[in-house]
């Protein structure tokens, strides 16, 4: 056997073993239900990853609700885009902007409570396949919402409904309750090297 | 002053100081250009975050190219969804599946080279605002593509074009070249606790 074909054979054998391990894992994962995902950490991608899943869900004909707890601007690319599908998507911008902009915790709390009233409805609606609670974690950090009440509503949701919660500093009990948790770590950010937040990339 | 109004005043002052720091950073970030983003790590969200940015870019009327280096299936929600916008989106599924499925490195290399030929064209086209090179990192891990050649083409792209590269184990030189790098760390994954990959969530 030539050196090349030996190498190819080794690659084949290694990949065959890897395939057996992965196939066994796939066979073991047979439960069908909606999941609770949490995208947290300081890096870019927490909300974008949620919006990517929105696109994916829409591609399967699903119905989606997005509730934005902090964002107050309504000129984002994602909102403009997903609003083209009013039959499938409900999009609620409920924030008052970052709390260092409002500098008024009473107003922030009222906004978060109003957002939660909408979110709670969506979490009780079996016709909604995916609920995105965007930047909700800040509501726990600043004490605008009661975490136990939110977790109870999430736990009581329809069995096939998937929920995504995004935002920095997800509280431990939320991570505990979640099925999939990604910590988006920032290794680098263009903003820090002087690049302006560009439309189509950052908003 | 009552305790409540003192607390509110402290919150206001703290947020005012925070706002000054953040406003200064925003004022310092004035360069307008496309960036190179890398989504790496073992957690969920690398490709979804890229697709979220695709939605965002489309909302701003941008043109987008997606080249999938490993994926071979064409029934994903994201593809079905974004193919509804043929004027704005080019979508290329170029993979042969995971290398432990093909078990044939010659075939994998040929597929990656064909994907790269398409990607190179997109990277040279100033009418494309966003290029997503999905799961491209595996091509470096397995030696299917020359990293230096890829980095040179990325560096020579049109100034306003943004590029997103996704996949585990991004090589050091790619991270070096990038403006924004997110390490998606897996804290938990539903698959590991026996939940099947569900349509609209995982594909």
């Amino acid at each position: 056997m030539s050196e090349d074909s030996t190498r190819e054979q080794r690659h084949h054998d290694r990949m065959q073993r890897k395939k057996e391990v992965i196939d066994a894992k796939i066979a073991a994962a047979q439960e069908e239900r909606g999941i609770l995902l949490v995208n947290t950490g300081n890096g870019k991608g927490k909300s974008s990853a949620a919006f990517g899943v929105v696109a994916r869900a829409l591609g399967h004909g699903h119905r989606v609700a997005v509730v934005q707890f902090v964002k107050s601007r309504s000129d984002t690319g994602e909102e403009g885009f997903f609003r083209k599908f009013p039959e499938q998507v409900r999009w609620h911008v409920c924030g008052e902007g970052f709390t260092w902009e409002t500098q008024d915790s009473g107003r922030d709390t009222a906004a978060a409570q109003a957002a939660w009233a909408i979110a709670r409805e969506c979490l009780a609606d079996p016709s909604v396949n995916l609920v995105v609670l965007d930047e909700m974690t800040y509501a726990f950090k600043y004490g605008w919402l009661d975490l136990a009440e939110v977790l109870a509503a999430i736990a009581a949701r329809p069995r096939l409904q998937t929920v995504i919660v995004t935002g920095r500093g997800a509280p431990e009990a939320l991570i505990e309750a979640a099925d999939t948790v990604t910590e988006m770590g920032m290794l680098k950010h263009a903003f820090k090297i002087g690049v302006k937040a560009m439309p189509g990339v950052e908003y």
Side-chain angles (χ1 to χ4, degrees), chain A residues 13 23 27 41 48 50 54 73 84 86 98 101 108 143 150 153 179 202:
Chain A
D13 294 348
D23 285 352
S48 340
V54 170
R73 63 192 296 176
K84 293 181 185 171
F98 285 108
E101 290 291 348
D108 293 339
V150 170
D179 301 292
E202 302 293 342

Side-chain angles (χ1 to χ4, degrees), chain A residues 1 5 10-11 17-18 25-26 48 64 73 78 90 113 116 122 127 149 165-167 170-171 181 194:
Chain A
M1 247 161 115
S5 65
R10 273 206 308 268
H11 173 80
R17 285 192 300 274
K18 186 162 184 172
K25 285 185 187 165
I26 292 172
S48 340
V64 178
R73 63 192 296 176
E78 55 272 27
R90 294 174 55 179
Q113 297 279 356
W116 173 236
C122 302
S127 79
E149 184 191 338
V165 177
T166 79
V181 180

Side-chain angles (χ1 to χ4, degrees), chain A residues 114-182:
Chain A
W116 173 236
I118 295 170
R120 210 169 31 196
E121 259 178 54
C122 302
L123 290 169
D125 182 347
S127 79
V128 177
N129 306 81
L130 172 65
V131 180
V132 176
L133 305 173
D134 190 35
E135 297 183 325
M136 188 195 223
T137 58
Y138 305 102
F140 307 124
K141 177 178 175 183
Y142 291 105
W144 304 330
L145 291 182
D146 180 52
L147 178 56
E149 184 191 338
V150 170
L151 290 178
I154 289 176
R157 75 190 191 279
R159 181 174 166 76
L160 289 174
Q161 188 183 73
T162 282
V163 176
I164 309 181
V165 177
T166 79
R168 296 184 181 207
E172 205 40 52
L174 177 62
I175 289 177
E176 197 67 37
D179 301 292
T180 295
V181 180
T182 304

Side-chain angles (χ1 to χ4, degrees), chain A residues 4-43:
Chain A
D4 264 13
S5 65
T6 311
R7 194 184 307 121
E8 183 61 40
Q9 186 60 45
R10 273 206 308 268
H11 173 80
H12 179 278
D13 294 348
R14 206 165 53 236
M15 290 304 129
Q16 177 57 33
R17 285 192 300 274
K18 186 162 184 172
K19 177 175 164 52
E20 284 160 14
V21 171
I22 290 169
D23 285 352
K25 285 185 187 165
I26 292 172
Q30 288 302 326
E31 191 185 355
E32 300 196 12
R33 62 171 171 88
I35 61 172
L36 171 60
L37 289 104
V38 173
N39 295 343
T40 191
N42 295 333

